[in-house]
Amino acid sequence: MNHVIAQMGLRVPDVAAYTEHVEATLGVEAIEADATGARLALPGQSPCLVVTAGDGAGLEYVGFWTDEANLAEVADRAEAAGVQVGEGRVFGSVRLLAPNGLAVELAAGSAEPRNTQRREGGPTVGSLDHVSLQAADLDSTVGFFVDVLGFRVVDSVGSVRHWLSCGPNHHTVAVFAGTDSLHHYAFEADNVLELQRLGDRLALRGQNFVWGPGRHALGANIFTYHLDPAGALLELTSDMIQIPDDGSWVAQVWSPDTPASAVMWGPYPTPEFREMTIPIVAGEAQA
Ligand SMILES: [Fe+2]
């Protein structure tokens, strides 16, 4: 079952500051914006970010493209599993509520072409790539993604961190044990040179990476992380493992006793890195 991550809703304290940041550093441009909110998109794509002004940062929803058959099946499985399901409000036609409070919206559609429009002085960002969540009830939240939405677990660290796939990308959602929250959201780029361009762009603006560049062991993707103006961790990633659709992938369970799964090369994260979360704005599925 394929889904494609398409859009995120973020609550941000300062819409103008957020919009300026993602335009200048990622090339995600405002389609419409005022003091109360903004819809932001990569060139030639539909909006990947919908931000609304509010007190403090928060993750409001994540939207996925899926196909018509999946939409009906997901709704049936949600009702059978006792998961709240209602009409979509912002992105999709269906809205489901995950056990960690995250609203997930599904819309009929398929992946849009990656952006390749080069931006001088900054990275060329292809598309929104993945989200990393935390959940107080980890097993139920992973179960929601697997049993209701049809994701599969592709790698784990012990029983406390799981990486979930819904297409070729090694992971589109990760869920770690913790408070119900968003740990980071990620855009993808072609290669590490684009990550270098982001670093240069941030440095000229007086900002540094919080972690990276480095290469994760799980997923093998190269990464940088920095804080957006709302205080959410934003990853730019490249070269993630693409899993063949032939059943040959064997999920691994990595040891939780070493940080080896986190990084192959580059520094280890600081202890504070794991705590850099923003809350999930717990949604209701029903209007
Ligand atoms: Fe990530």
Side-chain angles (χ1 to χ4, degrees):
M1 177 167 295
N2 279 348
H3 307 293
V4 178
I5 191 168
Q7 189 178 92
M8 290 172 51
L10 287 175
R11 190 179 67 192
V12 302
D14 185 334
V15 171
Y18 185 88
T19 300
E20 190 278 334
H21 177 88
V22 295
E23 282 191 345
T25 62
L26 300 175
V28 180
E29 297 166 345
I31 295 172
E32 44 187 317
D34 60 28
T36 65
R39 293 162 60 80
L40 302 145
L42 286 160
Q45 295 185 358
S46 54
C48 55
L49 292 168
V50 175
V51 296
T52 54
D55 293 334
L59 174 62
E60 295 190 314
Y61 68 92
V62 179
F64 297 89
W65 298 119
T66 193
D67 65 41
E68 288 279 4
N70 284 347
L71 271 179
E73 290 175 18
V74 166
D76 288 348
R77 288 202 300 265
E79 283 174 10
V83 167
Q84 271 198 55
V85 53
E87 289 188 1
R89 295 180 193 170
V90 188
F91 172 74
S93 58
V94 175
R95 186 179 180 103
L96 306 112
L97 197 61
N100 68 344
L102 177 68
V104 170
E105 293 212 357
L106 301 177
S110 54
E112 298 180 306
R114 296 180 64 252
N115 171 51
T116 56
Q117 188 172 306
R118 172 140 300 285
R119 287 179 64 87
E120 289 303 318
T124 300
V125 171
S127 62
L128 187 62
D129 192 75
H130 66 268
V131 290
S132 186
L133 308 167
Q134 294 190 358
D137 188 342
L138 179 67
D139 291 345
S140 294
T141 301
V142 170
F144 165 82
F145 280 100
V146 171
D147 300 331
V148 176
L149 292 182
F151 284 62
R152 65 181 173 136
V153 178
V154 293
D155 275 315
S156 299
V157 170
S159 58
V160 292
R161 298 177 193 156
H162 302 288
W163 283 257
L164 311 177
S165 166
C166 59
N169 236 15
H170 174 272
H171 57 275
T172 297
V173 171
V175 193
F176 294 3
T179 56
D180 293 340
S181 58
L182 172 73
H183 182 259
H184 68 264
Y185 61 111
F187 287 86
E188 57 86 12
D190 258 345
N191 57 61
V192 68
L193 288 176
E194 305 298 347
L195 279 54
Q196 172 190 319
R197 291 189 175 101
L198 174 63
D200 290 344
R201 185 68 155 185
L202 290 172
L204 286 170
R205 293 164 58 88
Q207 191 178 357
N208 287 333
F209 294 136
V210 171
W211 186 28
R215 185 191 281 275
H216 289 305
L218 277 166
N221 47 314
I222 304 172
F223 62 84
T224 64
Y225 294 87
H226 71 280
L227 289 169
D228 74 18
L233 267 179
L234 198 166
E235 179 185 3
L236 187 62
T237 186
S238 72
D239 298 275
M240 185 183 284
I241 286 172
Q242 301 297 293
I243 294 179
D245 189 23
D246 60 5
S248 61
W249 181 263
V250 178
Q252 291 188 69
V253 178
W254 298 60
S255 169
D257 301 324
T258 78
S261 61
V263 63
M264 292 169 64
W265 49 257
Y268 290 123
T270 62
E272 296 77 34
F273 180 78
R274 295 272 173 243
E275 312 304 321
M276 293 180 178
T277 61
I278 65 169
I280 289 169
V281 179
E284 294 293 316
Q286 304 289 353

